[in-house]
Amino acid sequence: MTNIAKTIVSLAVFAALGACQKKPTDVAEAKSYQYYLEHGEETKTVAAKCSEFEQNELSMQPPSKQAAWRETAAGINCSNAQGAKPYVMLAELQKKRAEAAAKYK
């Protein structure tokens, strides 16, 4: 195999692997704030991916594109997940404390 063919094959492999990783921008429909309150693990995962996306890729875009993205399903999901995350974390903490307190009754 020539160097050009090897390069093309390796680029195709990297592109295929990259396509398997879901970004917060890869969504079809927006989920509600209430949905994220009820699905804690998904909320934490989505919020973390969104924070990383916003700090890296989104922050490099002009303000007009950032505003437009926030109106998409992905942007709405990020907003809802990030808004629900503190309440999910608090509910988990309260549950752990209640379980710990129940041991001493």
XYZ file of all heavy atoms in Angstrom:
800
model
N 0.833 -1.169 0.000
C 0.000 0.000 0.000
C 0.885 1.242 0.000
O 1.852 1.319 0.738
C -0.876 -0.034 1.246
C -2.252 0.471 1.014
S -3.164 0.696 2.542
C -4.337 -0.599 2.453
N 0.523 2.208 -0.778
C 1.303 3.437 -0.835
C 0.996 4.320 0.360
O 0.014 4.108 1.070
C 0.984 4.219 -2.129
O -0.360 4.658 -2.053
C 1.208 3.376 -3.370
N 1.834 5.319 0.566
C 1.624 6.237 1.693
C 0.303 6.994 1.575
O -0.353 7.250 2.581
C 2.778 7.231 1.789
C 4.023 6.584 2.354
O 3.934 5.552 3.012
N 5.174 7.172 2.095
N -0.061 7.348 0.358
C -1.314 8.074 0.156
C -2.498 7.182 0.528
O -3.426 7.622 1.212
C -1.443 8.569 -1.306
C -0.364 9.621 -1.592
C -2.834 9.124 -1.574
C -0.284 10.053 -3.021
N -2.453 5.935 0.115
C -3.542 5.009 0.426
C -3.626 4.773 1.933
O -4.718 4.719 2.508
C -3.345 3.685 -0.303
N -2.487 4.643 2.597
C -2.474 4.453 4.053
C -3.064 5.675 4.762
O -3.813 5.548 5.725
C -1.050 4.210 4.548
C -0.511 2.857 4.195
C 0.912 2.700 4.714
C 1.519 1.408 4.263
N 2.909 1.263 4.718
N -2.733 6.844 4.265
C -3.257 8.080 4.856
C -4.769 8.148 4.699
O -5.483 8.503 5.648
C -2.593 9.301 4.201
O -1.186 9.205 4.368
C -3.096 10.588 4.817
N -5.255 7.800 3.521
C -6.697 7.835 3.266
C -7.423 6.837 4.170
O -8.455 7.160 4.764
C -7.000 7.567 1.774
C -6.508 8.752 0.932
C -8.487 7.320 1.543
C -6.576 8.534 -0.551
N -6.862 5.634 4.292
C -7.480 4.618 5.147
C -7.499 5.073 6.606
O -8.506 4.953 7.302
C -6.760 3.259 4.997
C -7.213 2.273 6.057
C -6.996 2.694 3.609
N -6.391 5.624 7.071
C -6.344 6.062 8.474
C -7.296 7.230 8.720
O -7.931 7.309 9.774
C -4.921 6.408 8.904
O -4.397 7.446 8.125
N -7.427 8.147 7.756
C -8.387 9.245 7.907
C -9.820 8.721 7.958
O -10.642 9.221 8.730
C -8.238 10.251 6.769
C -7.002 11.152 6.825
C -6.905 11.992 5.560
C -7.034 12.032 8.044
N -10.113 7.712 7.157
C -11.455 7.124 7.160
C -11.753 6.455 8.497
O -12.863 6.564 9.034
C -11.593 6.122 6.027
N -10.754 5.784 9.065
C -10.935 5.137 10.367
C -11.179 6.179 11.446
O -12.084 6.042 12.274
C -9.715 4.257 10.716
C -9.764 3.792 12.160
C -9.647 3.060 9.779
N -10.384 7.251 11.464
C -10.570 8.308 12.453
C -11.932 8.983 12.308
O -12.581 9.310 13.292
C -9.452 9.357 12.370
C -8.172 8.888 12.969
C -7.021 8.813 12.208
C -8.098 8.504 14.303
C -5.839 8.382 12.755
C -6.914 8.071 14.866
C -5.771 8.009 14.088
N -12.373 9.191 11.077
C -13.678 9.810 10.854
C -14.790 8.900 11.359
O -15.751 9.364 11.975
C -13.869 10.113 9.369
N -14.661 7.601 11.130
C -15.674 6.655 11.602
C -15.712 6.609 13.124
O -16.780 6.577 13.735
C -15.395 5.268 11.044
N -14.553 6.619 13.755
C -14.499 6.617 15.212
C -15.066 7.915 15.782
O -15.762 7.905 16.794
C -13.063 6.414 15.700
C -12.481 5.024 15.493
C -11.010 5.005 15.889
C -13.247 3.987 16.282
N -14.765 9.013 15.154
C -15.279 10.302 15.609
C -16.785 10.390 15.474
O -17.450 11.024 16.286
N -17.329 9.745 14.480
C -18.778 9.770 14.280
C -19.512 8.998 15.368
O -20.680 9.246 15.641
C -19.123 9.191 12.909
N -18.834 8.064 16.017
C -19.463 7.263 17.072
C -19.615 8.032 18.371
O -20.406 7.648 19.215
C -18.637 6.002 17.339
S -18.625 4.870 15.941
N -18.844 9.066 18.570
C -18.904 9.826 19.809
C -20.003 10.873 19.689
O -19.972 11.720 18.813
C -17.571 10.502 20.103
C -16.463 9.513 20.340
C -15.141 10.205 20.572
O -15.007 11.390 20.327
N -14.177 9.453 21.051
N -20.963 10.805 20.616
C -22.070 11.758 20.583
C -21.669 13.078 21.211
O -21.120 13.122 22.288
C -23.255 11.185 21.342
C -24.283 10.566 20.480
C -25.508 10.256 21.282
C -26.716 10.621 20.473
N -27.946 10.319 21.134
N -21.953 14.137 20.520
C -21.746 15.487 21.044
C -23.084 16.002 21.546
O -24.127 15.490 21.163
C -21.256 16.419 19.929
C -19.880 16.152 19.448
C -19.533 17.190 18.415
C -18.117 17.031 17.931
N -17.783 18.064 16.961
N -23.050 17.042 22.384
C -24.331 17.590 22.804
C -25.107 18.213 21.646
O -26.282 18.512 21.778
C -23.949 18.646 23.838
C -22.521 18.935 23.620
C -21.925 17.703 22.993
N -24.456 18.383 20.506
C -25.132 18.964 19.352
C -25.833 17.904 18.513
O -26.541 18.231 17.574
C -24.121 19.717 18.459
O -23.078 18.814 18.085
C -23.542 20.901 19.190
N -25.651 16.626 18.853
C -26.230 15.527 18.090
C -27.573 15.083 18.685
O -27.712 13.976 19.175
C -25.279 14.329 18.054
C -23.949 14.648 17.408
O -23.899 15.595 16.617
O -22.967 13.945 17.688
N -28.568 15.938 18.656
C -29.875 15.586 19.199
C -30.965 15.927 18.200
O -30.828 16.839 17.399
C -30.160 16.300 20.539
C -29.198 15.851 21.604
C -30.123 17.792 20.387
N -32.040 15.169 18.275
C -33.146 15.394 17.340
C -34.210 16.305 17.928
O -34.783 17.119 17.217
C -33.765 14.057 16.961
N -34.488 16.144 19.231
C -35.535 16.963 19.829
C -35.114 17.412 21.229
O -34.322 16.762 21.896
C -36.847 16.200 19.898
C -36.798 14.977 20.793
C -38.109 14.216 20.795
O -38.580 13.841 19.720
O -38.643 14.024 21.895
N -35.683 18.509 21.641
C -35.366 19.056 22.964
C -36.169 18.322 24.033
O -37.306 17.936 23.816
C -35.687 20.543 23.001
N -35.522 18.134 25.176
C -36.181 17.523 26.336
C -36.445 18.621 27.351
O -35.681 19.571 27.469
C -35.307 16.430 26.918
C -35.119 15.280 25.949
C -34.207 14.224 26.501
C -34.019 13.121 25.470
N -32.965 12.209 25.845
N -37.514 18.454 28.092
C -37.934 19.499 29.022
C -37.069 19.539 30.271
O -36.372 18.581 30.621
C -39.389 19.281 29.430
O -39.485 18.135 30.258
N -37.172 20.640 30.968
C -36.503 20.819 32.254
C -36.993 19.751 33.234
O -36.206 19.147 33.961
C -36.817 22.229 32.762
C -36.267 22.566 34.112
C -34.933 22.895 34.271
C -37.091 22.560 35.231
C -34.427 23.214 35.522
C -36.595 22.883 36.482
C -35.256 23.204 36.621
O -34.758 23.514 37.848
N -38.288 19.497 33.228
C -38.876 18.476 34.103
C -38.294 17.096 33.800
O -38.022 16.314 34.704
C -40.400 18.453 33.942
C -41.102 17.524 34.908
C -40.941 17.959 36.354
O -40.954 19.144 36.659
N -40.780 17.002 37.246
N -38.085 16.794 32.524
C -37.483 15.516 32.126
C -36.116 15.364 32.796
O -35.804 14.309 33.343
C -37.349 15.445 30.601
C -36.585 14.225 30.143
C -37.245 13.026 29.912
C -35.198 14.267 29.962
C -36.552 11.895 29.508
C -34.503 13.141 29.566
C -35.177 11.965 29.339
O -34.479 10.840 28.951
N -35.312 16.416 32.732
C -33.975 16.337 33.320
C -34.022 16.239 34.837
O -33.162 15.606 35.448
C -33.106 17.503 32.849
C -32.628 17.299 31.425
C -33.087 18.092 30.388
C -31.734 16.291 31.117
C -32.664 17.900 29.092
C -31.303 16.074 29.818
C -31.773 16.883 28.808
O -31.347 16.668 27.523
N -35.029 16.827 35.469
C -35.174 16.675 36.919
C -35.469 15.220 37.287
O -35.062 14.741 38.339
C -36.298 17.575 37.448
C -36.006 19.065 37.517
C -37.259 19.822 37.951
C -34.844 19.368 38.454
N -36.166 14.523 36.412
C -36.569 13.137 36.676
C -35.538 12.101 36.244
O -35.666 10.935 36.593
C -37.905 12.863 35.984
C -39.040 13.693 36.537
C -40.301 13.634 35.699
O -40.302 12.964 34.635
O -41.293 14.268 36.089
N -34.548 12.483 35.477
C -33.536 11.548 34.962
C -32.137 12.043 35.347
O -31.418 12.614 34.525
C -33.663 11.403 33.445
C -34.977 10.834 33.019
N -36.102 11.610 32.826
C -35.362 9.563 32.788
C -37.113 10.838 32.477
N -36.697 9.583 32.447
N -31.780 11.804 36.600
C -30.565 12.365 37.183
C -29.268 12.002 36.484
O -28.426 12.862 36.242
N -29.089 10.730 36.163
C -27.829 10.318 35.539
C -27.658 10.955 34.168
O -26.583 11.424 33.814
C -27.737 8.787 35.443
C -27.569 8.107 36.783
C -26.345 8.610 37.547
O -25.253 8.702 36.964
O -26.496 8.894 38.747
N -28.731 10.968 33.396
C -28.668 11.594 32.074
C -28.408 13.097 32.209
O -27.653 13.672 31.436
C -29.961 11.344 31.308
C -29.928 11.905 29.898
C -31.176 11.605 29.099
O -32.062 10.874 29.585
O -31.271 12.125 27.976
N -29.014 13.702 33.211
C -28.822 15.132 33.445
C -27.358 15.447 33.686
O -26.799 16.374 33.084
C -29.656 15.594 34.660
O -31.024 15.335 34.379
C -29.448 17.065 34.939
N -26.721 14.667 34.548
C -25.306 14.915 34.855
C -24.424 14.693 33.629
O -23.503 15.478 33.384
C -24.861 14.031 36.013
C -25.511 14.420 37.332
C -24.961 13.660 38.500
C -25.483 12.250 38.512
N -25.111 11.495 39.708
N -24.728 13.670 32.850
C -23.943 13.383 31.645
C -24.094 14.500 30.612
O -23.099 15.000 30.078
C -24.387 12.040 31.031
O -24.229 11.016 32.003
C -23.579 11.706 29.793
N -25.326 14.888 30.339
C -25.588 15.930 29.336
C -24.989 17.261 29.789
O -24.347 17.961 28.995
C -27.103 16.062 29.052
C -27.399 17.290 28.200
C -27.621 14.806 28.383
N -25.168 17.600 31.054
C -24.635 18.873 31.565
C -23.113 18.914 31.450
O -22.542 19.942 31.075
C -25.074 19.090 33.003
N -22.454 17.795 31.744
C -20.984 17.751 31.640
C -20.533 17.910 30.187
O -19.608 18.671 29.892
C -20.457 16.450 32.224
N -21.197 17.191 29.276
C -20.845 17.306 27.851
C -21.097 18.722 27.343
O -20.308 19.260 26.560
C -21.641 16.302 27.012
C -21.182 14.884 27.167
C -21.995 13.956 26.291
C -21.569 12.522 26.453
N -22.362 11.603 25.621
N -22.191 19.307 27.788
C -22.522 20.662 27.351
C -21.511 21.680 27.864
O -21.104 22.581 27.131
C -23.923 21.043 27.810
S -25.222 20.185 26.912
N -21.115 21.540 29.113
C -20.127 22.467 29.672
C -18.823 22.397 28.894
O -18.236 23.428 28.562
C -19.867 22.144 31.145
O -20.997 22.441 31.904
N -18.406 21.173 28.584
C -17.171 21.007 27.808
C -17.325 21.610 26.414
O -16.447 22.321 25.929
C -16.824 19.519 27.698
C -15.536 19.267 26.960
C -15.208 17.789 26.861
O -15.619 17.017 27.737
O -14.536 17.421 25.885
N -18.461 21.344 25.777
C -18.725 21.882 24.443
C -18.739 23.409 24.464
O -18.138 24.063 23.609
C -20.061 21.348 23.915
C -20.497 21.963 22.620
C -19.883 21.604 21.425
C -21.513 22.906 22.588
C -20.290 22.174 20.222
C -21.918 23.480 21.399
C -21.306 23.114 20.215
N -19.421 23.983 25.455
C -19.526 25.443 25.530
C -18.175 26.096 25.797
O -17.883 27.164 25.271
C -20.534 25.840 26.606
C -21.963 25.560 26.195
C -22.969 25.829 27.292
O -22.573 26.056 28.450
O -24.174 25.812 26.981
N -17.336 25.464 26.607
C -16.028 26.033 26.921
C -15.054 25.907 25.758
O -14.146 26.725 25.627
C -15.437 25.356 28.149
C -16.168 25.711 29.416
C -15.674 24.916 30.609
O -14.730 24.141 30.510
N -16.317 25.112 31.746
N -15.242 24.890 24.920
C -14.292 24.667 23.833
C -14.825 25.147 22.486
O -14.425 26.196 22.002
C -13.909 23.185 23.770
C -13.178 22.742 25.016
O -12.314 23.437 25.513
N -13.552 21.597 25.545
N -15.723 24.398 21.893
C -16.177 24.688 20.535
C -17.072 25.920 20.444
O -16.887 26.763 19.578
C -16.898 23.472 19.960
C -15.987 22.272 19.753
C -16.735 21.069 19.232
O -17.564 21.243 18.317
O -16.495 19.969 19.732
N -18.055 26.000 21.321
C -19.014 27.099 21.224
C -18.367 28.452 21.498
O -18.692 29.444 20.851
C -20.187 26.873 22.188
C -21.344 27.862 22.079
C -22.009 27.773 20.706
C -22.363 27.623 23.176
N -17.440 28.485 22.428
C -16.804 29.761 22.778
C -15.960 30.327 21.637
O -15.646 31.510 21.631
C -15.930 29.590 24.026
O -14.845 28.735 23.750
N -15.623 29.492 20.666
C -14.824 29.945 19.523
C -15.697 30.552 18.423
O -15.178 31.136 17.488
C -14.025 28.766 18.947
C -13.133 28.077 19.966
S -11.820 29.119 20.550
C -10.651 28.883 19.262
N -16.994 30.411 18.535
C -17.903 30.914 17.509
C -18.299 32.356 17.816
O -18.274 32.785 18.965
C -19.149 30.033 17.442
C -18.854 28.624 16.997
C -20.107 27.772 16.934
O -21.218 28.266 17.093
N -19.938 26.484 16.697
N -18.678 33.095 16.779
C -19.119 34.473 17.007
C -20.423 34.489 17.810
O -21.187 33.520 17.784
C -19.325 35.025 15.596
C -19.397 33.860 14.697
C -18.682 32.731 15.352
N -20.684 35.589 18.504
C -21.886 35.681 19.349
C -23.189 35.374 18.616
O -24.092 34.779 19.189
C -21.857 37.119 19.850
C -20.422 37.503 19.816
C -19.836 36.776 18.644
N -23.287 35.754 17.358
C -24.529 35.492 16.623
C -24.758 33.992 16.447
O -25.890 33.508 16.558
C -24.503 36.186 15.259
O -23.419 35.703 14.485
N -23.686 33.238 16.183
C -23.817 31.782 16.041
C -24.072 31.127 17.391
O -24.801 30.143 17.476
C -22.579 31.187 15.384
C -22.508 31.461 13.909
C -21.487 30.603 13.235
C -21.533 30.860 11.743
N -20.669 29.949 11.014
N -23.481 31.674 18.449
C -23.734 31.143 19.790
C -25.214 31.310 20.136
O -25.852 30.387 20.640
C -22.874 31.861 20.824
C -21.403 31.531 20.727
C -20.583 32.275 21.762
O -21.102 32.774 22.754
N -19.279 32.355 21.534
N -25.756 32.487 19.858
C -27.171 32.751 20.150
C -28.076 31.840 19.317
O -29.077 31.313 19.824
C -27.494 34.213 19.889
N -27.720 31.642 18.060
C -28.514 30.772 17.198
C -28.465 29.333 17.703
O -29.489 28.633 17.698
C -28.005 30.851 15.760
N -27.295 28.887 18.155
C -27.169 27.524 18.676
C -28.039 27.331 19.919
O -28.658 26.293 20.096
C -25.704 27.198 19.007
C -25.569 25.839 19.608
C -25.544 24.641 18.941
C -25.478 25.518 20.992
N -25.447 23.602 19.825
C -25.396 24.117 21.100
C -25.458 26.278 22.148
C -25.294 23.462 22.318
C -25.355 25.625 23.371
C -25.274 24.234 23.446
N -28.102 28.334 20.768
C -28.886 28.220 22.003
C -30.384 28.039 21.721
O -31.117 27.568 22.575
C -28.651 29.427 22.895
C -27.240 29.457 23.435
C -27.029 30.518 24.473
N -25.632 30.765 24.744
C -24.804 29.930 25.367
N -25.227 28.779 25.767
N -23.534 30.253 25.566
N -30.824 28.394 20.513
C -32.227 28.232 20.136
C -32.510 26.872 19.502
O -33.662 26.540 19.246
C -32.644 29.341 19.159
C -32.540 30.737 19.734
C -33.451 30.946 20.937
O -34.600 30.463 20.915
O -33.006 31.584 21.908
N -31.460 26.084 19.242
C -31.647 24.757 18.653
C -32.042 23.763 19.746
O -31.965 24.055 20.938
C -30.355 24.264 17.975
O -29.347 24.068 18.986
C -29.870 25.236 16.913
N -32.437 22.558 19.316
C -32.784 21.502 20.280
C -31.594 21.201 21.192
O -31.763 21.009 22.399
C -33.227 20.245 19.542
N -30.396 21.183 20.635
C -29.199 20.915 21.437
C -28.978 22.015 22.468
O -28.661 21.731 23.634
C -27.977 20.787 20.528
N -29.146 23.251 22.068
C -28.965 24.364 22.991
C -29.998 24.365 24.102
O -29.687 24.629 25.267
N -31.229 24.036 23.756
C -32.299 23.970 24.754
C -32.020 22.820 25.730
O -32.179 22.971 26.940
C -33.672 23.823 24.066
C -33.987 25.113 23.295
C -34.763 23.486 25.069
C -35.154 24.995 22.344
N -31.586 21.671 25.189
C -31.241 20.544 26.066
C -30.130 20.928 27.037
O -30.185 20.595 28.221
C -30.809 19.331 25.251
C -31.983 18.522 24.772
O -33.098 18.650 25.269
N -31.741 17.670 23.804
N -29.120 21.595 26.534
C -28.009 22.000 27.398
C -28.493 22.937 28.496
O -28.141 22.770 29.669
C -26.899 22.664 26.579
S -25.898 21.486 25.661
N -29.299 23.886 28.126
C -29.818 24.831 29.109
C -30.660 24.123 30.164
O -30.506 24.368 31.372
C -30.652 25.904 28.398
O -31.223 26.775 29.334
N -31.540 23.234 29.723
C -32.399 22.518 30.662
C -31.601 21.584 31.568
O -31.850 21.514 32.770
C -33.486 21.744 29.911
C -34.528 22.649 29.309
O -34.680 23.805 29.719
N -35.243 22.160 28.318
N -30.645 20.869 31.001
C -29.834 19.943 31.803
C -28.976 20.703 32.806
O -28.872 20.310 33.973
C -28.967 19.079 30.898
N -28.359 21.787 32.373
C -27.513 22.561 33.281
C -28.337 23.243 34.365
O -27.881 23.391 35.500
C -26.683 23.572 32.494
C -25.597 22.892 31.683
C -24.880 23.829 30.735
O -25.460 24.782 30.222
N -23.613 23.558 30.500
N -29.556 23.628 34.044
C -30.434 24.226 35.048
C -30.924 23.214 36.066
O -31.094 23.528 37.246
N -31.150 21.980 35.624
C -31.664 20.935 36.517
C -30.564 20.273 37.343
O -30.853 19.715 38.406
C -32.393 19.878 35.692
N -29.339 20.335 36.884
C -28.251 19.607 37.551
C -28.099 19.943 39.042
O -27.979 19.026 39.856
C -26.925 19.831 36.818
C -25.788 19.030 37.421
C -24.487 19.263 36.701
C -23.358 18.537 37.418
N -22.070 18.853 36.867
N -28.104 21.217 39.459
C -27.952 21.483 40.900
C -29.059 20.847 41.736
O -28.802 20.361 42.842
C -28.003 23.005 41.001
C -27.705 23.512 39.641
C -28.140 22.457 38.695
N -30.277 20.814 41.229
C -31.392 20.218 41.959
C -31.261 18.695 42.025
O -31.603 18.075 43.028
C -32.722 20.641 41.341
C -32.933 22.121 41.454
C -32.708 22.964 40.371
C -33.307 22.691 42.668
C -32.870 24.336 40.486
C -33.464 24.058 42.797
C -33.243 24.871 41.701
O -33.390 26.221 41.830
N -30.771 18.102 40.933
C -30.523 16.663 40.918
C -29.438 16.311 41.934
O -29.581 15.356 42.705
C -30.121 16.192 39.494
C -29.574 14.784 39.500
C -31.311 16.304 38.557
N -28.371 17.100 41.942
C -27.276 16.851 42.882
C -27.761 17.006 44.329
O -27.414 16.212 45.191
C -26.106 17.800 42.604
C -25.531 17.694 41.202
S -24.771 16.127 40.851
C -23.277 16.278 41.775
N -28.573 18.016 44.594
C -29.106 18.241 45.931
C -30.019 17.088 46.355
O -29.941 16.610 47.491
C -29.863 19.568 45.990
C -30.473 19.930 47.341
C -29.388 20.052 48.407
C -31.249 21.229 47.228
N -30.865 16.625 45.454
C -31.758 15.511 45.763
C -30.960 14.248 46.084
O -31.302 13.505 47.013
C -32.709 15.254 44.594
N -29.881 14.010 45.341
C -29.029 12.846 45.613
C -28.358 12.971 46.976
O -28.269 12.000 47.728
C -27.985 12.676 44.510
C -28.572 12.200 43.202
C -27.542 12.101 42.089
O -26.350 12.430 42.305
O -27.926 11.681 40.984
N -27.887 14.149 47.303
C -27.243 14.379 48.594
C -28.240 14.170 49.733
O -27.922 13.515 50.734
C -26.660 15.790 48.654
C -25.999 16.193 49.963
C -24.786 15.305 50.247
C -25.588 17.653 49.925
N -29.440 14.705 49.577
C -30.459 14.539 50.607
C -30.831 13.066 50.782
O -31.042 12.601 51.896
C -31.697 15.370 50.274
C -31.478 16.853 50.441
C -32.661 17.673 49.976
O -33.441 17.250 49.134
N -32.784 18.876 50.533
N -30.895 12.340 49.681
C -31.213 10.910 49.749
C -30.121 10.163 50.505
O -30.407 9.316 51.357
C -31.388 10.340 48.339
C -31.764 8.886 48.320
C -31.924 8.378 46.907
C -32.238 6.884 46.914
N -32.332 6.335 45.564
N -28.857 10.456 50.212
C -27.743 9.805 50.904
C -27.762 10.123 52.395
O -27.528 9.244 53.229
C -26.408 10.233 50.294
C -26.127 9.623 48.947
C -24.796 10.097 48.403
C -24.584 9.588 46.996
N -23.333 10.096 46.413
N -28.050 11.361 52.730
C -28.103 11.744 54.146
C -29.253 11.059 54.859
O -29.116 10.632 55.998
C -28.208 13.263 54.281
C -26.919 13.960 53.965
C -27.014 15.427 54.215
N -25.736 16.079 53.953
C -25.563 17.375 53.897
N -26.580 18.193 54.104
N -24.376 17.879 53.657
N -30.406 10.943 54.196
C -31.550 10.264 54.809
C -31.233 8.786 55.031
O -31.583 8.214 56.069
C -32.784 10.432 53.932
N -30.568 8.163 54.060
C -30.180 6.756 54.207
C -29.179 6.580 55.335
O -29.266 5.625 56.113
C -29.610 6.230 52.890
C -30.645 6.071 51.797
C -30.040 5.788 50.441
O -28.786 5.789 50.292
O -30.812 5.563 49.482
N -28.244 7.499 55.446
C -27.255 7.426 56.519
C -27.916 7.642 57.872
O -27.592 6.944 58.854
C -26.159 8.463 56.293
N -28.852 8.562 57.955
C -29.548 8.823 59.211
C -30.431 7.651 59.620
O -30.577 7.366 60.807
C -30.380 10.093 59.086
N -30.981 6.944 58.635
C -31.856 5.812 58.917
C -31.090 4.674 59.594
O -31.675 3.867 60.319
C -32.516 5.335 57.632
N -29.796 4.601 59.391
C -28.976 3.548 60.008
C -28.917 3.698 61.526
O -28.693 2.746 62.234
C -27.550 3.600 59.456
C -27.445 3.215 58.018
C -26.009 3.315 57.555
C -25.883 3.062 56.067
N -24.501 3.210 55.613
N -29.124 4.910 62.017
C -28.983 5.175 63.436
C -30.307 5.229 64.183
O -30.347 5.615 65.333
C -28.214 6.486 63.643
C -26.823 6.415 63.059
C -26.533 7.026 61.848
C -25.840 5.678 63.696
C -25.262 6.935 61.300
C -24.572 5.580 63.153
C -24.291 6.210 61.947
O -23.034 6.110 61.416
N -31.391 4.856 63.527
C -32.703 4.877 64.187
C -32.966 3.574 64.882
O -32.543 2.553 64.633
C -33.808 5.180 63.182
C -33.806 6.618 62.774
C -34.993 6.932 61.915
C -35.003 8.408 61.601
N -36.131 8.822 60.843
